[in-house]
Amino acid sequence: MTSGTWSDSIPGVGTFFVGIDVAPGRYRCDQGKGGWWVRFTGPGGGDPVGSWPLPAGPVEIEIARTDFAFETHVSTYWRRIAPPRAAEDAAPAEPRPVADPALRAELDTLVARRRPLMWLAPLSVLGLGLVGHPLLGSLWLIALGMLAVLVALGTPSVSLDLRRARELERSRDRYFVPDDFDDEGRALLARVQAAVDAVTTSEVNREGMLDAVANAVTLPRQEWEIAQVLARQSKLRAEQRELAEGATLPEVEAALRPLRAKLDVSVEAVTRRVEALERYARSAREADEALHAQRHLETIAEKAHEYDELLADTVRDDLALPAIERLHGQSHELVRTLRERLARAAEAADELPP
């Protein structure tokens, strides 16, 4: 699955970052027998929660907005059946973790390089069985053979989970969690993610009317770059508050004043970048509305011949023609509107920083 591209399904095997590779929500797979899954929860995914082995038949899993990553090994796809549960109160949505878009591929490569070592455990068990066979007989060999199979099935899942969690911890500078931001930073990040979601899930993007390939690459990078700035701003604001608490002399306040001004300029700049993303999202939503209206009108137009026949059978032809022409005119006008809105969306995308 390409980073930044969401769909309503997750491949049965792989590791996927929540909010980058997969959308949060409730998922279901039709057959989980013998498989397993792990949700990397907590700050930075440091608290893996999983289930192994899964029972036969359908299995459901809730991927939360605050989960960092989801790892799965089942024989079928996971299909999203419901959006994430809404917060019970009216508080603003908590932003999801943000990772460097290149991080997942790098982690997969690191884990894959160590995969052959995982099979040393079952091979060691078999070797022990062969050594003990002359003394303890065939039953000993059979028992250790069964143990080797169990170890072979369990070792990859446990080892991969632990290794991936350790690699995530080593890459702590490559991702941010909500606790890395203050209230102002979280609010701006939530706006960024809402805008990115609106574009990537829009129908015009899914059908390739927008540059879906560029969006899959550009939007996650925009989210990551903005998150980096917001995290630094949050840290500097906290430092300024600490310095201001001990400031009793006017000279200290005077020294802090230019620092606050520089931070304000940075906040204004990143806010403009967020607003550019929001303009792009609005354009995508408007194009979706025009597309839906056009398709409704096309459905109506398919029925036009029935009305034409009805009018021809009941009134003069000169009364039927204007009605049909008017319907076609509406269709052409809506197509023009859709094209204009798609053009505006493309212009809004061009406003995003390179």
Side-chain angles (χ1 to χ4, degrees), residues 293-314:
Q294 179 193 354
R295 287 181 173 169
H296 280 303
L297 194 56
E298 288 173 351
T299 301
I300 296 172
E302 291 175 358
K303 298 289 185 180
H305 70 281
E306 297 181 15
Y307 291 86
D308 192 7
E309 293 173 359
L310 176 64
L311 288 175
D313 290 341
T314 55

Side-chain angles (χ1 to χ4, degrees), residues 181-236:
F181 307 93
D182 59 9
D183 291 342
E184 186 174 345
R186 279 193 290 268
L188 280 173
L189 182 58
R191 289 171 58 185
V192 169
Q193 293 175 342
V196 170
D197 294 352
V199 174
T200 55
T201 60
S202 66
E203 194 163 351
V204 289
N205 184 66
R206 291 198 304 268
E207 297 195 5
M209 296 180 181
L210 299 178
D211 194 341
V213 176
N215 286 336
V217 175
T218 301
L219 294 180
R221 180 169 54 81
Q222 292 280 345
E223 182 181 358
W224 169 241
E225 290 176 357
I226 292 174
Q228 288 178 294
V229 175
L230 294 178
R232 291 171 62 189
Q233 291 176 349
S234 299
K235 180 181 177 181
L236 292 175

Side-chain angles (χ1 to χ4, degrees), residues 287-352:
D288 263 1
E289 293 173 357
L291 178 62
H292 294 157
Q294 179 193 354
R295 287 181 173 169
H296 280 303
L297 194 56
E298 288 173 351
T299 301
I300 296 172
E302 291 175 358
K303 298 289 185 180
H305 70 281
E306 297 181 15
Y307 291 86
D308 192 7
E309 293 173 359
L310 176 64
L311 288 175
D313 290 341
T314 55
V315 298
R316 292 179 304 169
D317 289 345
D318 58 348
L319 294 179
L321 290 176
I324 302 302
E325 291 296 331
R326 185 167 57 253
L327 190 61
H328 286 309
Q330 292 174 347
S331 178
H332 290 312
E333 178 65 20
L334 198 52
V335 169
R336 185 185 64 80
T337 300
L338 175 60
R339 289 174 178 169
E340 290 178 353
R341 292 187 176 184
L342 287 172
R344 285 199 294 271
E347 292 174 359
D350 291 339
E351 293 179 5
L352 299 178

Side-chain angles (χ1 to χ4, degrees), residues 52 117-122 148-161:
W52 181 88
L117 298 177
M118 300 173 188
W119 298 98
L120 291 178
V149 172
L150 293 175
V151 172
L153 292 175
T155 299
S157 61
V158 174
S159 300
L160 284 176
D161 294 345

